[in-house]
Amino acid sequence: MARQRKPKGRPVSGWLILDKPIDFGSTEAVSKVKWLFKAQKAGHAGTLDPLASGMLPIALGDATKTVPYVMDGRKIYEFTVTWGEERATDDLEGDVTQSSDKRPARADIEALLEKYTGVIEQVPPQFSAIKIDGNRAYDLAREGETVDIPTREVEIHRLTLIGCPDENSADFEVECGKGTYVRALARDMGRDLGCYGHISALRRPFVAPFSEDMLVPLSELTALEEVEGDAERFAALEAFLVDTSEALANLPHVPVTDEQARRLKLGNPIILRGAHAPVEEPEAYASIGGRLIAIGEIAEGQFKPRRVFG
């Protein structure tokens, strides 16, 4: 029988709510954080383009099991659209593909906002991670191909015009659901206004259920590379971590005892007692002392674990 390979790295778990800097890719950021923590596993919830800054939640260890719950959360973006040019990437990186001397009046921009609020149809950018016949759209676009990307429904909860610094640009804030491309929003508004447009600045300050005060600048993490002692350095890094259960803040919570936690870890259901005990919930989580034990469902007065945590 083959010997089971021991995982490389430290079994550290939790969420790091990184404030990603501009000109730093999401995959690059995850790799850097994983290396700093010497973590066995790492992943992120929601890609940020290299030219975008802001909240990039990074899961370490067991927290990677909760990534889908953060991916489904609402997000807020602050962005600037520059009018007069449409670009291949729908942001500053791409070549200009369309141009116009027309500039929109503020009233015309405001009149357009309602069209982009609610559930809307959106075509993702050519330079996006959408898969077309097994290939990433951005890989095909880099090879010079123009691909037919199907429209899809996305939800815009709120779109606000913050201001117009000059006739050439406008600042917005959008609160949206999973899968929304802000670059596509800028592209489509520019087309509707007859002047073209592209993203010239983009920041994400919020990804539910995490808050802006949890943000950790990358510079604060890399500064700890100067600490020589491993124990001291890792302790300082781990002080920035948010408990894994924070990712599940929007789910019903079941506090459990030590004995119940032991049963759940073995994959066994537990009976929920008390007048206020929930009876039916498709998804909930159980924890003890702030430590995540399991994610599961509540049915027939029992919590039934589907995924357990160490």
Side-chain angles (χ1 to χ4, degrees), residues 66-139:
T66 63
V67 164
Y69 298 93
V70 180
M71 293 285 287
D72 288 342
R74 291 191 184 192
K75 299 167 180 67
I76 292 177
Y77 294 89
E78 301 162 347
F79 64 102
T80 299
V81 179
T82 294
W83 309 117
E85 291 179 346
E86 186 170 306
R87 299 193 174 213
T89 56
D90 300 315
D91 63 16
L92 285 172
E93 275 194 315
D95 296 330
V96 177
T97 56
Q98 302 277 0
S99 62
S100 171
D101 292 329
K102 182 181 177 181
R103 297 295 181 267
R106 180 177 183 128
D108 292 333
I109 299 172
E110 290 176 334
L112 191 62
L113 299 182
E114 187 176 352
K115 177 181 177 180
Y116 290 96
T117 305
V119 177
I120 66 169
E121 294 282 336
Q122 186 181 74
V123 178
Q126 289 286 311
F127 283 81
S128 64
I130 300 295
K131 281 196 172 182
I132 306 294
D133 296 329
N135 299 303
R136 296 290 185 187
Y138 54 65
D139 288 330

Side-chain angles (χ1 to χ4, degrees), residues 18 34 77 125 127 135 138 147 156 194 207 247 257 264 285 308:
L18 183 69
K34 184 181 180 183
Y77 294 89
F127 283 81
N135 299 303
Y138 54 65
V147 295
I156 309 292
V207 177
T257 64
L264 290 174
Y285 75 98
V308 299

Side-chain angles (χ1 to χ4, degrees), residues 53-294:
S53 67
M55 188 177 288
L56 180 67
I58 296 178
L60 300 177
D62 270 356
T64 56
K65 299 175 184 177
T66 63
V67 164
Y69 298 93
V70 180
M71 293 285 287
D72 288 342
R74 291 191 184 192
K75 299 167 180 67
I76 292 177
Y77 294 89
E78 301 162 347
F79 64 102
T80 299
V81 179
T82 294
W83 309 117
E85 291 179 346
E86 186 170 306
R87 299 193 174 213
T89 56
D90 300 315
D91 63 16
L92 285 172
E93 275 194 315
D95 296 330
V96 177
T97 56
Q98 302 277 0
S99 62
S100 171
D101 292 329
K102 182 181 177 181
R103 297 295 181 267
R106 180 177 183 128
D108 292 333
I109 299 172
E110 290 176 334
L112 191 62
L113 299 182
E114 187 176 352
K115 177 181 177 180
Y116 290 96
T117 305
V119 177
I120 66 169
E121 294 282 336
Q122 186 181 74
V123 178
Q126 289 286 311
F127 283 81
S128 64
I130 300 295
K131 281 196 172 182
I132 306 294
D133 296 329
N135 299 303
R136 296 290 185 187
Y138 54 65
D139 288 330
L140 297 172
R142 286 176 186 138
E143 293 171 2
E145 291 189 44
T146 300
V147 295
D148 184 19
I149 302 178
T151 62
R152 61 180 183 176
E153 285 190 348
V154 297
E155 187 168 9
I156 309 292
H157 302 285
R158 174 175 57 85
L159 177 60
T160 306
L161 175 64
I162 303 301
C164 299
D166 52 53
E167 67 170 7
N168 295 311
S169 63
D171 297 329
F172 298 88
E173 184 175 88
V174 62
E175 182 177 354
C176 56
K178 178 181 179 181
T180 304
Y181 278 92
V182 182
R183 285 182 290 134
L185 198 58
R187 176 200 67 204
D188 293 343
M189 286 195 294
R191 290 177 181 178
D192 279 345
L193 292 165
C195 63
Y196 303 116
H198 65 275
I199 292 284
S200 52
L202 177 62
R203 179 169 176 79
R204 183 168 69 192
F206 176 79
V207 177
F210 303 118
S211 57
E212 196 168 0
D213 60 6
M214 295 177 177
L215 282 169
V216 180
L218 182 62
S219 59
E220 290 192 25
L221 301 174
T222 55
L224 294 173
E225 292 180 73
E226 303 299 322
V227 179
E228 293 185 3
D230 285 351
E232 183 181 354
R233 184 173 65 258
F234 289 139
L237 285 167
E238 289 174 25
F240 289 114
L241 293 181
V242 174
D243 192 83
T244 300
S245 63
E246 290 284 345
L248 308 172
N250 294 329
L251 295 182
H253 174 223
V254 177
V256 296
T257 64
D258 287 332
E259 176 57 26
Q260 288 175 321
R262 187 188 67 78
R263 286 186 55 81
L264 290 174
K265 285 188 175 184
L266 293 173
N268 298 316
I270 59 172
I271 297 173
L272 302 179
R273 294 184 172 87
H276 301 292
V279 178
E280 300 284 338
E281 290 287 353
E283 279 197 305
Y285 75 98
S287 72
I288 181 171
R291 181 166 52 90
L292 181 62
I293 300 299

